[in-house]
Amino acid sequence: MMDRNEFFDYVKENIRDYLPADYQGAQVDLITKAKNNDLILTGVLIRKEEERMSPNIYLDGYYEEYQNGQISVEGIMENVAAARVEHNDQELGFDVDSLMDYGYVKDKLQIRLCDPEKNEERLKNVVFTMQGDFAAVYYINLFENEEEIGGAAVTPQIFAEWDIPIEQLHADALAADADMGRKPILSKIDDMMTSLLFGEEPRNLLDEQETADLGMNVQTENTAEFQMQEVPMYCLTNQDRMNGASLVVNEELMKSVGKAIGSDFYVLPSSIHETLLVPVSAQMELSVLQEMVRSVNETEVSQEDLLSDKVQYYDREACILENAQARQERMEKEKSAERVSDPKSVLGLLAEKKEQSKTAERNSGQRTKLTPELAM
């Protein structure tokens, strides 16, 4: 069995044998790229002489299938060749010159979120803005189908050619995301799971005027172990269920989500494709939610799809999304400061108590003198 590097080299040297005749003179290269959470993937780039742009077909997943005996090398080569032919320049409808024309691409923009602490390498070569705990990376969608979205990250070089302020890029990306058919969906977690199993559209609470049913409260313990009794939990994603976590940076949408839920809420940012929302009225301890996210990320979410362990808090009145732990610490400090500045601080209460004792003694003496003695 070939090791990883041998497998990649084999694909590079032999892929032309599986491609149509017009690809026989194509240049074939292996490239590595930092993906989400600085996951380094290796892809094969097959470019015909007249092409200035071509898709990068990642090979790591194919290698894992080969290593596990799920598919033969022959089958992998056929799949890679088919993928290259499917995503040719004519289908993409893009070339390098098109990417430099902002008027042409602005309706194809999309925001994808990541945790900056886990993406230092990836963020070195892309344009992004900080949105609270998250980095919003800007992409141009080149093609899209039911299974995948092919996109190119906006690089500093491309952004410089556009000559626009970063605020405009952010606003246009939000608008494009809403206009490209990626309708936001807020649904109860049970409804979302049912829709995934049976292919039905989940009940979208954003389409309704009523406040969501918050269900029953939850009793928790001091440990990470807890029992959920109809925990009111919601899923926020888009109609494609791809890169839907970016919806949390849309301020107007978050106002609508807060109205639909009818409460401040916690945001559990486990996946880049969706976020889970838990109303504050459910009275779940923040530490329990934090442990829930860490546990799910460690056991259920792939490195490429993972967003963050950092639970967020959405304040409906202030319309602010912030780190829940930082908010809790800030609130505790503010309460402590209020106690210190209160006239009835510890020293004030001691002085007041001392004065009350003196008054009681004086009153006691007065009452003793006024009490009549019993006659014998």
Side-chain angles (χ1 to χ4, degrees):
M1 178 175 286
M2 293 181 283
D3 63 26
R4 185 176 293 269
N5 290 331
E6 290 172 339
F7 173 81
F8 294 157
D9 288 338
Y10 180 86
V11 174
K12 176 185 176 182
E13 296 302 323
N14 295 277
I15 191 61
R16 293 186 189 86
D17 296 340
Y18 297 83
L19 288 163
D22 58 334
Y23 282 88
Q24 296 312 302
Q27 180 179 342
V28 181
D29 295 297
L30 295 175
I31 63 170
T32 58
K33 189 173 182 180
K35 301 288 284 183
N36 191 40
N37 298 315
D38 284 347
L39 176 65
I40 305 300
L41 297 181
T42 298
V44 59
L45 195 66
I46 305 167
R47 182 178 298 168
K48 292 188 284 188
E49 184 176 356
E50 68 276 12
E51 294 177 333
R52 300 178 63 190
M53 190 174 184
S54 60
N56 181 24
I57 303 171
Y58 291 104
L59 301 176
D60 302 80
Y62 286 121
Y63 177 72
E64 298 301 327
E65 292 179 353
Y66 159 72
Q67 192 178 42
N68 295 330
Q70 297 173 267
I71 189 172
S72 66
V73 174
E74 183 81 8
I76 290 174
M77 300 296 281
E78 292 174 352
N79 288 345
V80 172
R84 177 60 186 92
V85 173
E86 179 183 359
H87 298 308
N88 54 47
D89 274 355
Q90 287 70 36
E91 288 179 314
L92 296 179
F94 273 91
D95 57 33
V96 176
D97 293 334
S98 296
L99 296 181
M100 299 303 172
D101 181 356
Y102 186 68
Y104 181 74
V105 303
K106 79 170 187 175
D107 293 334
K108 299 174 176 60
L109 294 171
Q110 185 182 35
I111 294 174
R112 303 184 189 180
L113 292 189
C114 69
D115 187 330
E117 295 181 2
K118 299 177 183 291
N119 288 269
E120 293 182 2
E121 287 300 317
R122 178 188 176 196
L123 294 178
K124 288 179 179 178
N125 301 308
V126 298
V127 174
F128 68 94
T129 61
M130 289 303 302
Q131 305 290 324
D133 281 343
F134 306 121
V137 182
Y138 301 95
Y139 273 76
I140 307 167
N141 284 345
L142 304 180
F143 67 87
E144 187 170 345
N145 56 44
E146 294 181 355
E147 298 181 354
E148 60 180 337
I149 296 176
V154 177
T155 64
Q157 294 79 12
I158 293 175
F159 185 61
E161 286 289 332
W162 290 344
D163 192 25
I164 60 171
I166 191 68
E167 294 81 8
Q168 181 180 347
L169 175 63
H170 184 77
D172 288 344
L174 288 175
D177 208 25
D179 292 340
M180 290 183 69
R182 288 188 290 271
K183 179 181 179 180
I185 296 177
L186 173 69
S187 62
K188 292 183 179 181
I189 191 67
D190 290 344
D191 288 346
M192 182 60 72
M193 295 301 295
T194 300
S195 72
L196 293 175
L197 289 174
F198 299 103
E200 302 172 354
E201 283 298 318
R203 175 186 173 191
N204 189 355
L205 299 175
L206 294 174
D207 292 338
E208 303 175 9
Q209 298 300 317
E210 64 189 59
T211 298
D213 178 13
L214 297 183
M216 299 174 60
N217 289 341
V218 180
Q219 296 179 348
T220 63
E221 299 179 357
N222 292 330
T223 65
E225 297 180 359
F226 58 91
Q227 293 183 340
M228 295 192 298
Q229 301 175 355
E230 297 185 18
V231 177
M233 187 176 291
Y234 303 88
C235 179
L236 178 64
T237 186
N238 56 35
Q239 199 164 14
D240 295 334
R241 299 186 181 96
M242 288 189 283
N243 300 306
S246 62
L247 293 173
V248 300
V249 303
N250 187 322
E251 295 180 4
E252 293 303 315
L253 175 63
M254 291 297 279
K255 292 178 184 178
S256 298
V257 171
K259 182 178 179 181
I261 291 179
S263 166
D264 289 1
F265 55 86
Y266 292 102
V267 178
L268 312 187
S270 183
S271 167
I272 61 174
H273 300 302
E274 70 278 322
T275 54
L276 300 182
L277 314 180
V278 178
V280 172
S281 57
Q283 299 179 7
M284 291 191 71
E285 295 289 338
L286 174 58
S287 59
V288 173
L289 295 175
Q290 291 170 327
E291 181 57 30
M292 182 194 302
V293 174
R294 283 192 291 267
S295 176
V296 169
N297 284 350
E298 289 175 1
T299 60
E300 304 294 335
V301 184
S302 67
Q303 183 178 354
E304 190 171 0
D305 288 342
L306 189 150
L307 177 51
S308 175
D309 293 336
K310 301 167 186 172
V311 176
Q312 306 292 301
Y313 184 102
Y314 183 74
D315 186 321
R316 286 198 308 155
E317 183 177 351
C319 301
I320 291 176
L321 182 72
E322 62 179 321
N323 183 286
Q325 183 66 42
R327 181 186 186 277
Q328 179 172 286
E329 294 173 357
R330 174 171 57 79
M331 298 293 287
E332 290 173 353
K333 288 181 180 179
E334 290 176 358
K335 289 180 180 179
S336 178
E338 289 176 1
R339 288 194 295 268
V340 171
S341 60
D342 193 319
K344 293 185 178 181
S345 61
V346 174
L347 293 177
L349 289 172
L350 288 175
E352 182 179 324
K353 186 69 174 177
K354 185 176 182 181
E355 183 61 31
Q356 290 174 350
S357 297
K358 289 180 178 179
T359 303
E361 289 177 2
R362 289 194 297 268
N363 291 339
S364 177
Q366 292 172 358
R367 285 194 298 270
T368 301
K369 292 179 181 179
L370 292 174
T371 300
E373 295 181 356
L374 293 176
M376 296 295 293

